[in-house]
Amino acid sequence: MTTTRSFGRRASGLAALFGAGALVLSACSGGGAGAPAAGESGAAPAAEGSIKVGVAMPTQTSERWIADGNAVKEGLEKAGYTVDLQFANDDIPTQTQQIDQMITNGAKILVIASIDGTALSSQLDAAGAANIPVVSYDRLIRDNENVDFYVSFDNYKVGVAQAKALLTGLGLTDKDGAKAADAPVGPLNIELFAGSADDNNAGFFFNGAMDTLKPFIDEGTLVVKSGQTSFDQAATLRWSQEAAQKRMEDILTSTYGGGTEPLAGVLSPFDGISRGIITALQGAGYGPSIADGLPIVTGQDAEIASIKLINDGVQQSTIFKDTRLLAAQAVKTVEAIGKGETPEANDTKTYDNGVKVVPSYLLEVQTIFKDNIESDIVGSGYYTADEVAAGVTK
Ligand code: GAL
């Protein structure tokens, strides 16, 4: 059995270690100014005496993780840390190897957005043995005690917001959630998509959404015509756009006469999945836009390609998780840990990783429709109006 160490003890041990100047050595020991190792995307040259932080991100196939990785790196470097940032191409062995390497190369703190939340136990055991605190970034790492802190968004509320957007798009409620005066009586057909079953967030999103949709399903206003209502049936491994497109095509074939029968909406937990669903729907003859009868499709992450689709009246909504704020929270957390302090938490109950409840800082999210892109996305400087129009970032 592994020894249980409290965060406080580990953090103060760390502060003592830093005080002793051990970091000059560790900062120079790995990565460094030489040619980066294969797959390495940004180990900055070690500033003398600066603390090295390993930042492990899941993939570069989704633009949000690139934005997250870069924002965390930039924030930590501004705060005086040396950063070893790695992306793992959604491949579990790549991520485990990258984290092993970070530890070997002298990282003193790890910030990890896992691919599979249950697959990092040996890395976390090694981190624990070396007194390296671990911050779980957006996705909770499960089944290990050496997870010191979790920074994320309120993931249950994300699911609630997705379902509320769907209900609004279907004309059943207004944007405040009140029953719409001219609500259709239904039944309206919907289909459900969930995220990757190995990502702890996926269940939170699905539960939040289903709790919100359930009364409408129970009273018969909404019907999941395929009958695929369980999380396992709805799940999309690795949040894959292609897998989502394929499942949508299969459902259209099996349940909607190949696209000839009415489908009113699709719950989607992530913009990449939404775009796969939309491709399948358009391919079967729905749309091409909502005004032409494309079913209401939700989303998450405010990815630029989806913001453009929302602006063009194709995707109905997304959930905006401001990665700048999440990155800033991760940086604050690392700084507190670096000083031997306890990072600020605003939730110490919800995120049980199977071994312990991990203290968390959860940020709020915002639902984006076509009519608030200008004020909330462009207005907050997340994307420019030109980027929204082009559907790509500069
Ligand atoms: C989840 C994350 C979502 C989305 C998804 C796919 O863990 O909370 O915002 O990014 O991964 O990348």
Side-chain angles (χ1 to χ4, degrees), residues 313-391:
V314 177
Q315 185 174 320
Q316 180 247 5
S317 60
T318 188
I319 306 300
F320 177 32
K321 298 164 77 169
D322 193 330
T323 49
R324 297 169 299 188
L325 301 182
L326 185 59
Q329 200 59 44
V331 171
K332 266 198 208 166
T333 303
V334 167
E335 285 190 284
I337 292 173
K339 288 182 199 147
E341 294 166 2
T342 303
E344 185 191 353
N346 64 3
D347 185 308
T348 51
K349 290 199 193 101
T350 310
Y351 287 95
D352 187 333
N353 80 344
V355 176
K356 70 180 208 188
V357 176
V358 182
S360 311
Y361 196 99
L362 307 179
L363 297 160
E364 293 296 320
V365 296
Q366 213 180 348
T367 308
I368 300 297
F369 302 97
K370 183 177 165 71
D371 63 10
N372 63 343
I373 290 178
E374 179 63 37
S375 57
D376 296 332
I377 295 289
V378 178
S380 73
Y382 202 67
Y383 301 131
T384 64
D386 285 350
E387 288 172 330
V388 172

Side-chain angles (χ1 to χ4, degrees), residues 165-174 178-184 188 296 316:
L166 181 61
L167 293 171
T168 307
L170 296 174
L172 293 169
T173 57
D174 61 28
K179 193 164 186 208
D182 52 353
L188 300 174
I296 299 298
Q316 180 247 5

Side-chain angles (χ1 to χ4, degrees), residues 41 52 67 75 82 113 141 154 164 171 184 186 193 204-205 260-261 264 291 320 324 361 364 370 384-385 392:
S41 50
K52 188 183 245 188
T82 299
I141 303 172
D154 190 322
K164 280 187 168 173
F193 281 71
F204 278 84
F205 302 150
T260 54
E261 291 166 25
F320 177 32
R324 297 169 299 188
Y361 196 99
E364 293 296 320
K370 183 177 165 71
T384 64
V392 285

Side-chain angles (χ1 to χ4, degrees), residues 45-327:
E48 199 172 302
S50 82
I51 298 171
K52 188 183 245 188
V53 183
V55 179
M57 290 285 151
T59 182
Q60 280 174 303
T61 55
S62 151
E63 70 193 30
R64 79 147 284 194
W65 294 112
I66 302 175
D68 283 275
N70 291 340
V72 172
K73 181 173 193 285
E74 200 180 306
L76 286 172
E77 284 176 353
K78 265 197 197 131
Y81 292 85
T82 299
V83 178
D84 181 357
L85 168 64
Q86 304 288 341
F87 294 90
N89 303 322
D90 262 338
D91 181 55
I92 297 166
T94 302
Q95 185 163 61
T96 53
Q97 209 182 356
Q98 287 174 339
I99 297 170
D100 284 338
Q101 198 70 39
M102 287 171 186
I103 296 173
T104 311
N105 286 352
K108 295 297 170 201
I109 304 177
L110 293 173
V111 176
I112 302 173
S114 55
I115 297 167
D116 177 333
T118 62
L120 297 177
S121 263
S122 84
Q123 284 63 40
L124 262 58
D125 287 347
N131 262 349
I132 299 170
V134 173
V135 178
S136 204
Y137 186 92
D138 202 32
R139 297 174 172 175
L140 186 65
I141 303 172
R142 293 194 52 85
D143 305 337
N144 196 288
E145 68 185 312
N146 296 319
V147 183
D148 294 285
F149 204 82
Y150 180 43
V151 288
S152 187
F153 295 84
D154 190 322
N155 294 301
Y156 181 87
K157 277 197 197 160
V158 169
V160 171
Q162 286 167 339
K164 280 187 168 173
L166 181 61
L167 293 171
T168 307
L170 296 174
L172 293 169
T173 57
D174 61 28
K175 279 186 188 160
D176 302 322
K179 193 164 186 208
D182 52 353
V185 282
L188 300 174
N189 296 328
I190 61 166
E191 294 299 331
L192 308 171
F193 281 71
S196 197
D198 54 9
D199 180 340
N200 195 60
N201 289 349
F204 278 84
F205 302 150
F206 195 70
N207 290 341
M210 288 309 276
D211 288 350
T212 311
L213 296 177
K214 194 169 181 298
F216 294 85
I217 295 174
D218 287 350
E219 73 185 15
T221 310
L222 295 179
V223 174
V224 182
K225 203 175 168 200
S226 68
Q228 299 182 20
T229 53
S230 72
F231 175 79
D232 287 346
Q233 287 170 318
T236 314
L237 186 65
R238 298 285 112 77
W239 305 87
S240 156
Q241 177 167 338
E242 294 71 28
Q245 181 180 334
K246 170 85 175 51
R247 176 165 174 260
M248 189 75 249
E249 287 166 353
D250 289 348
I251 291 176
L252 290 174
T253 306
S254 65
T255 312
Y256 294 91
T260 54
E261 291 166 25
L263 170 60
V266 185
L267 175 79
S268 165
F270 162 57
D271 286 343
I273 290 179
S274 313
R275 296 195 295 275
I277 292 167
I278 288 169
T279 304
L281 294 172
Q282 291 175 334
Y286 296 96
S289 69
I290 297 170
D292 314 310
L294 187 74
I296 299 298
V297 180
T298 62
Q300 173 171 214
D301 283 350
E303 293 203 327
I304 189 64
S306 284
I307 290 291
K308 177 178 164 47
L309 288 177
I310 295 170
N311 203 38
D312 292 346
V314 177
Q315 185 174 320
Q316 180 247 5
S317 60
T318 188
I319 306 300
F320 177 32
K321 298 164 77 169
D322 193 330
T323 49
R324 297 169 299 188
L325 301 182
L326 185 59

